[in-house]
Amino acid sequence: MTDLTKLTIAEAREGLKNKDYTSLELTDAFIGNIEAANAQLNAYVTVTADQAREMAKASDAKLAKGEGGALEGIPLGIKDLFATKGVHTQACSHILDGFKPPYESTVTSNLWADGAVMLGKLNMDEFAMGSSNETSYYGPVINPWRKQGSNQDLVPGGSSGGSASAVAARMCMGATATDTGGSIRQPAAFTGTVGIKPTYGRCSRWGVVAFASSLDQAGPIAHTVRDSAILLKSMASVDPKDTTSVDIEVPDYEAAIGKSVMGLKIGIPAEYRMEGMPGEIDELWQKGIEWLKDAGAEIVDIAMPHTKYALPAYYIVAPAEASSNLARYDGVRYGLRVPGKDIVEMYENTRAEGFGEEVKRRILIGTYVLSAGYYDAYYLKAQKVRTLIKRDFDLAWENGVDAILTPATPSAAFGVADQDLHSDPVKMYLNDIFTVTVNMAGLPGISVPAGLDKSGLPLGLQLIGKPFDESTLFQVGQVIEDAAGSFEPEKWWG
């Protein structure tokens, strides 16, 4: 039998329908990969093998009757930010020690309703704060990719590093992830996988541990553009429990794949050509432009003058919302509790021990920018800048642009414990330079693997779309995937 873990979701779906193999066989193959690789890659923080097998058996029973949902029998990994009933949900933070929610997030409920199988919970940056998956209480995730001729451990990106690493290393068929400033697209680019951040409001945030409520959005990471389309169709829905979810019909995203891009107008923003950007990134961008031109798309230059303000504005808005959201973790009702002589000291002790360094940094920044006397100078100004960033995009759409092509990241994956980046948080934050604008404007963005750098590491291109027009991103993304081919790390683990 072929290696079942090498299949795409689309292929596995057909194989299960044709009874070439069972969901239990498929699930067991992935559990085997997890058992062999997780000690080295640290992608999963908990593996639900027994539950997965029970779910797979239930799927097999449905498939045997010719029934079943869109994801019937497909084994997935779930980022530790999504509430999963009775299963470890701790946002990879010490402060949520032992927390197992008595409820299920809307996104995961949608997946289980469509027949998906849960393999376990995936590692991530603590409370989704980080660009390298090194802030997790459970230790860093390792990227399955390595530089040619090197055995240095590399980061998989963040915050959805566990999701990206698990998909790239064939430890699940696809994974849920979240994106607040690039946390789906940057890890996807670092691991040679496809990651889409949908429009704000496309997927319900109910049951997803909050970081920055006006920026957070759930989405999938998968091997191919088609697999991402299949997953997003199941994940997306309106939800009465999330008033920011939008009641717009979820289209059949898969139907967009393979459609011609002839006549589509693709915008190229000069402002994304940053000073000091590596030549390889620029060359890849040019290659992407040529691929789309060859496929019949019209390439137009566009101006996005407020791009340079996006990162500083984001690092005011996101920490401000985080400081408010994380105020609820006090050691009283659930999670970690560190005793003190009175309730105030108990709060202080619990939060001091429970939160990691990066989370504390962002709470402090957020509390500062929201404090009396600074609110207008920082937070209010950042929200005004946000409006201007959205306006840049609105003008592009008004001028007939269908999608925007940019690099996904300013570099390929870097080393674990890179001293240059760890000594200067701002340098780490610069990893989000190409992605934060999309969250600030609430737009959809997809990262598609487009090539390898001179060290043999994957690089991605980003497509940005109009609100709720994920279909065009899948349509154009498929052209890039077809031109670039697929990328697989050379196996050294397991």
Side-chain angles (χ1 to χ4, degrees), residues 249-268:
E249 190 190 349
V250 180
D252 178 6
Y253 293 124
E254 228 187 320
I257 289 167
K259 277 189 182 173
S260 169
V261 296
M262 183 73 71
L264 285 187
K265 203 180 266 193
I266 307 295
I268 308 297

Side-chain angles (χ1 to χ4, degrees), residues 54-366:
E54 288 308 310
M55 291 171 93
K57 284 175 193 168
S59 287
D60 284 333
K62 283 187 188 170
L63 290 162
K65 294 184 212 160
E67 298 168 4
L71 288 169
E72 202 65 59
I74 300 293
L76 303 176
I78 305 297
K79 186 176 180 178
D80 196 35
L81 212 60
F82 292 84
T84 43
K85 190 175 180 177
V87 176
H88 180 294
T89 301
Q90 294 172 24
C92 285
S93 177
H94 187 29
I95 207 159
L96 276 169
D97 266 10
F99 182 62
K100 292 179 180 178
Y103 54 90
E104 190 79 33
S105 80
T106 300
V107 165
T108 51
S109 296
N110 291 347
L111 293 172
W112 313 147
D114 274 351
V117 170
M118 178 168 71
L119 291 166
K121 302 299 287 288
L122 294 159
N123 204 339
M124 54 177 279
D125 278 304
E126 183 185 4
F127 283 106
M129 298 181 196
S131 304
S132 63
N133 215 138
E134 294 174 282
T135 71
S136 168
Y137 178 65
Y138 300 97
V141 176
I142 305 302
N143 192 332
W145 286 83
R146 282 182 166 174
K147 291 180 182 177
Q148 284 164 354
S150 167
N151 60 3
Q152 180 196 17
D153 285 340
L154 303 176
V155 303
S159 65
S160 310
S163 303
S165 182
V167 171
R170 306 277 173 184
M171 297 161 81
C172 57
M173 298 211 95
T176 65
T178 60
D179 192 310
T180 305
S183 286
I184 290 174
R185 292 157 290 153
Q186 186 245 19
F190 276 12
T191 56
T193 54
V194 177
I196 182 163
K197 171 228 169 296
T199 311
Y200 183 78
R202 178 55 96 188
C203 292
S204 169
R205 290 185 298 109
W206 194 84
V208 181
V209 179
F211 163 13
S213 302
S214 75
L215 300 161
D216 298 343
Q217 188 56 201
I221 292 178
H223 283 289
T224 65
V225 172
R226 184 179 293 275
D227 282 3
S228 298
I230 293 168
L231 287 173
L232 184 58
K233 173 82 172 102
S234 287
M235 291 171 70
S237 69
V238 68
D239 181 6
K241 296 195 287 284
D242 174 11
T243 53
T244 63
S245 72
V246 178
D247 192 3
I248 294 176
E249 190 190 349
V250 180
D252 178 6
Y253 293 124
E254 228 187 320
I257 289 167
K259 277 189 182 173
S260 169
V261 296
M262 183 73 71
L264 285 187
K265 203 180 266 193
I266 307 295
I268 308 297
E271 290 79 5
Y272 280 64
R273 199 163 270 111
M274 302 287 179
E275 199 181 319
M277 188 164 86
E280 291 176 303
I281 303 290
D282 201 26
E283 282 163 34
L284 188 78
W285 196 6
Q286 289 307 318
K287 209 184 273 185
I289 290 167
E290 292 308 315
W291 289 334
L292 295 180
K293 209 185 276 183
D294 291 347
E298 182 191 343
I299 306 296
V300 292
D301 290 327
I302 57 171
M304 310 212 73
H306 298 98
T307 301
K308 64 184 172 191
Y309 304 117
L311 201 66
Y314 170 85
Y315 276 102
I316 290 170
V317 173
E321 294 184 11
S323 78
S324 173
N325 275 326
L326 270 60
R328 72 190 71 174
Y329 303 110
D330 52 16
V332 175
R333 285 150 297 190
Y334 49 78
L336 180 74
R337 179 186 291 191
V338 181
K341 67 176 188 293
D342 56 25
I343 192 164
V344 174
E345 191 176 277
M346 187 270 283
Y347 288 160
E348 290 169 348
N349 292 350
T350 299
R351 288 169 69 83
E353 195 173 311
F355 290 134
E357 191 182 327
E358 182 58 35
V359 173
K360 286 176 186 168
R361 179 184 288 121
R362 296 197 196 192
I363 290 171
L364 287 168
I365 292 169

Side-chain angles (χ1 to χ4, degrees), residues 364-375:
L364 287 168
I365 292 169
T367 306
Y368 177 78
V369 300
L370 290 176
S371 57
Y374 293 105
Y375 181 91

